[in-house]
Amino acid sequence: MLSIKLAYKNLIGAGLRTWLNVFVLSLAFVIIIWHKGMLDGWDHQAKSDMIAWECGGGQYWNDKYDPNDLFTLEESHGILPQTLKELETKKEATSILISQGSIYPEGRMQSVLLKGIDPDQQILDIPSTKLKTAGSEIQVLIGEYMAKTNRLKKGDVFSMRWRTSNGAFDAADAVVAGIFKTNVPTVDAAQLWLPIETLRQMLDMPDESTILVTRQISENHPEAKGWKFQNLSILLSDVDKMIQAKSISGSILWLILMMLAMLAIFDTQVLSIFRRQKEIGTCIALGMTKGQVIRLFTIEGAMHSIFAMIVALLWGTPLLYLQAVKGITMPGDKNTYGITIADVLYPSYSLGLVASTCIIVFITTAIVSYLPSRKIAGMNPTEAIRGKIK
Amino acid sequence: MISESIITIKGLTKDFPVGSGYFRALNEVNLEFGRGEFAGLIGPSGSGKTTLLNIIGSLDTPTKGEVIVLGKDISHLNSQESASLRKEKLGFIFQSYNLLPVYTVYENVEFPLLLLNLPETERKKMVMEALEWVGLTQKVKSRPSMLSGGECQRVAIARAMVKKPIIVLADEPTANLDAENSHHILRTMATLNQELNTTFIFATHDEKVISYLKRRITLADGSLVSA
């Protein structure tokens, strides 16, 4: 307790020197929390968008389906077994049939994925009801990015070509029944959504599906032969990997910031021990042990981080709060990023994030403060009193 | 004749390593100090005054010989025990005051009491009493940088005396002061010596200090010339 009291007095008494260090350290605090909050916010947003638009509560995949291998699409479809059909009947899941095709907007050719979806489904956020529009052409839904890259707008008609289950090529005209806006590129880029029954007829695959998307809150995932259930941790693993990769690059920033702050503390400690040797000698003469003086200097250094937390709280809280409320607008055309990212990113600051940052910075500061303070142990107090240690 | 011996020094030798050899700062010193003495170690620079004072103050240890301070053998004290001896029984006054620069006058004088873990009310009473002894009650909130040299040394005296130690060790306390301030602080210390029966041991070659001493111990080249 005494060491804390004395350390506090010494720090306050040191004036500007203390506050400069505290400000540098508070910068590190705020930037570390902000950066991690951005990643957490992005992670949270990307995952909730992917769940809403693509993954649902998990998916059953046809055994042969591999989303990373388009050649599997020809084989990866089948009639759902009874257990899965029941889920669909109870509106606990919705089927999606996937095939390859090409479209020819304005005479150009574009390879696309044809995705059949039930227009009445309410499992995913895809506005499939727009597919219920009556007309002689095939009604299709596309995302904004797809519309932009192919210069398509609502009502545009274009030719579409595909291969049936027999391997024969077929073609028809399609009309853009609607354009939706999404942050999930995997349901937008080069994707054409059409009524599943229409696609089944086109492909000559009656009652067949490639995947079955379950409802978000559903925990009913029965075993089904020929179909494997993919839970969210598998479906969202790409996001996890991406965030992890960003976290690694972020940790370099973290390291640089911490090193800057710690360098300031270390420098101050080394200078302090050299400049304040008379004070150290006097403290020993007045009855402190070397251990107590080392503890005093270590606490002094570590206390910078406590002051920095308070200072960071004062100027960082309004700043971080403002960002959490207003968000950060992503620059340029974020659709070209190829990753799930919203127009506006909202950082997410959890208590755990703030607490862990505070603990890490405090412990690091304490260690950095202790290292130069150990020099005191080797000091001759009679020399120190006279300030004669070189 | 010493009434009550509180410091006994027998055959004290202190060597300091210099290059491959050593420098003998004290050579076979034998001395004794009693309670309430106002004594001084006199001699030119390099005679061993400060070294002897440091050993009595348990800031340094003898190379050879025995130094018993208040019943404790300095050679056999561990760092905890010697810190405890300094904290409870000894007071120090230094040539360059050695006040803690970021503390106020009050805080500087309070410091030894904080180390003794005394309650705040008691501390306050003792600090104000000590500041009264040295006539600095009006400067409690001043920092050392705002004080004159004489005032700083008076604060140092108050800090040394605040816990009413049995022994005060003063190393050249007037070296940085003018004549008027020197006499002022010497009178203060002489009064405290009489009123509190505190033993004062000076290391000095200042004639002004010497004139106040009741006992003069002369050192030359580390050896005792007269006691």
Side-chain angles (χ1 to χ4, degrees), chain B residues 8-14 26 28-30 55 61-68 73-76:
Chain B
T8 308
I9 301 167
K10 285 182 190 163
L12 170 63
T13 299
K14 179 69 184 177
L26 290 171
E28 291 289 334
V29 174
N30 294 294
I55 293 172
T61 50
T63 307
K64 213 174 84 185
E66 195 179 61
V67 179
I68 313 282
D73 187 345
I74 297 296
S75 310
H76 297 111

Side-chain angles (χ1 to χ4, degrees), chain A residues 280-356:
Chain A
I280 292 166
T282 307
C283 286
I284 292 169
L286 294 178
M288 285 177 96
T289 61
K290 281 180 180 176
Q292 279 177 310
V293 182
I294 292 171
R295 198 187 316 150
L296 174 66
F297 273 71
T298 306
I299 292 172
E300 258 184 61
M303 212 175 249
H304 280 102
S305 63
I306 301 201
F307 282 11
M309 279 178 218
I310 297 164
V311 171
L313 196 77
L314 291 177
W315 72 266
T317 307
L319 197 74
L320 296 180
Y321 175 75
L322 196 73
Q323 290 218 314
V325 172
K326 296 260 179 195
I328 295 157
T329 308
M330 287 291 103
D333 186 358
K334 55 104 189 169
N335 284 317
T336 57
Y337 297 180
I339 48 176
T340 305
I341 190 162
D343 294 337
V344 179
L345 265 189
Y346 293 94
S348 161
Y349 313 112
S350 64
L351 192 65
L353 166 66
V354 176
S356 60

Side-chain angles (χ1 to χ4, degrees), chain A residues 37-67:
Chain A
M38 281 289 287
L39 287 180
D40 285 354
W42 179 16
D43 182 36
H44 178 73
Q45 223 168 335
K47 281 180 176 167
S48 53
D49 282 348
M50 282 185 74
I51 288 168
W53 285 86
E54 190 179 19
C55 305
Q59 297 175 345
Y60 283 94
W61 288 2
N62 183 285
D63 264 348
K64 291 170 188 158
Y65 175 62
D66 177 358

Side-chain angles (χ1 to χ4, degrees), chain A residues 114-156:
Chain A
L114 304 174
K115 287 187 169 176
I117 190 166
D118 178 5
D120 292 321
Q121 66 81 29
Q122 289 180 334
I123 306 288
L124 298 176
D125 279 2
I126 290 165
S128 50
T129 48
K130 288 181 180 170
L131 295 170
K132 288 161 104 175
T133 318
S136 54
E137 295 97 355
I138 297 167
Q139 304 292 317
V140 298
L141 264 181
I142 53 172
E144 261 187 2
Y145 180 64
M146 171 77 172
K148 190 181 168 192
T149 51
N150 290 285
R151 282 176 248 153
L152 288 169
K153 53 187 185 301
K154 192 179 171 186
D156 279 358

Side-chain angles (χ1 to χ4, degrees), chain B residues 129-137 151 153-155 157-158 184 188 192:
Chain B
E129 189 185 16
L131 287 172
E132 221 163 273
W133 293 333
V134 296
L136 280 174
T137 46
E151 285 172 330
Q153 197 58 297
R154 278 148 66 194
V155 177
I157 294 167
H184 189 169
T188 307
L192 290 169

Side-chain angles (χ1 to χ4, degrees), chain A residues 209-387:
Chain A
S209 312
T210 308
I211 61 173
L212 181 78
V213 184
T214 64
R215 187 177 288 282
Q216 279 184 44
I217 50 165
S218 172
E219 288 184 6
N220 182 16
H221 305 131
E223 289 284 318
K225 196 177 173 210
W227 297 77
K228 54 182 178 244
F229 183 72
Q230 309 289 328
N231 61 23
L232 285 180
S233 60
I234 298 170
L235 294 172
L236 299 172
S237 60
D238 283 351
V239 180
D240 286 332
K241 280 177 196 159
M242 188 174 66
I243 298 291
Q244 201 181 1
K246 293 283 170 198
S247 297
I248 292 166
S249 61
S251 58
I252 295 169
L253 174 75
W254 185 91
L255 204 69
I256 292 169
L257 280 169
M258 281 296 284
M259 276 178 71
L260 277 174
M262 292 307 130
L263 196 68
I265 303 288
F266 188 85
D267 200 35
T268 306
Q269 289 293 98
V270 172
L271 263 175
S272 266
I273 288 157
F274 180 73
R275 273 170 24 103
R276 292 166 61 190
Q277 49 178 292
K278 258 190 179 184
E279 200 179 316
I280 292 166
T282 307
C283 286
I284 292 169
L286 294 178
M288 285 177 96
T289 61
K290 281 180 180 176
Q292 279 177 310
V293 182
I294 292 171
R295 198 187 316 150
L296 174 66
F297 273 71
T298 306
I299 292 172
E300 258 184 61
M303 212 175 249
H304 280 102
S305 63
I306 301 201
F307 282 11
M309 279 178 218
I310 297 164
V311 171
L313 196 77
L314 291 177
W315 72 266
T317 307
L319 197 74
L320 296 180
Y321 175 75
L322 196 73
Q323 290 218 314
V325 172
K326 296 260 179 195
I328 295 157
T329 308
M330 287 291 103
D333 186 358
K334 55 104 189 169
N335 284 317
T336 57
Y337 297 180
I339 48 176
T340 305
I341 190 162
D343 294 337
V344 179
L345 265 189
Y346 293 94
S348 161
Y349 313 112
S350 64
L351 192 65
L353 166 66
V354 176
S356 60
T357 309
C358 291
I359 290 167
I360 290 170
V361 174
F362 178 76
I363 292 172
T364 317
T365 314
I367 293 168
V368 166
S369 307
Y370 170 70
L371 294 175
S373 305
R374 285 181 312 167
K375 258 186 167 303
I376 293 167
M379 262 188 193
N380 179 350
T382 58
E383 298 284 301
I385 286 166
R386 288 182 287 173

Side-chain angles (χ1 to χ4, degrees), chain A residues 2 5-7 9-10 13-14 278-279 281-289 292 380-382 384-386, chain B residues 50 54 59-60 79-80 83 86-87 92 94 96 98 100-103 107 110-112 114-115 123 143 159 163:
Chain A
L2 173 66
K5 256 191 219 171
L6 296 177
K9 272 186 188 176
N10 288 343
K278 258 190 179 184
E279 200 179 316
T282 307
C283 286
I284 292 169
L286 294 178
M288 285 177 96
T289 61
Q292 279 177 310
N380 179 350
T382 58
I385 286 166
R386 288 182 287 173
Chain B
T50 301
N54 286 337
L59 290 168
D60 211 344
S79 62
Q80 202 83 34
R86 290 193 296 270
K87 184 165 70 178
F92 286 87
F94 306 103
S96 49
N98 287 42
L100 304 175
V102 299
Y103 290 8
E107 288 165 342
E110 188 192 24
F111 190 85
L114 283 172
L115 297 180
R123 285 200 314 261
R143 285 181 191 268
R159 182 178 65 185
K163 62 189 174 193

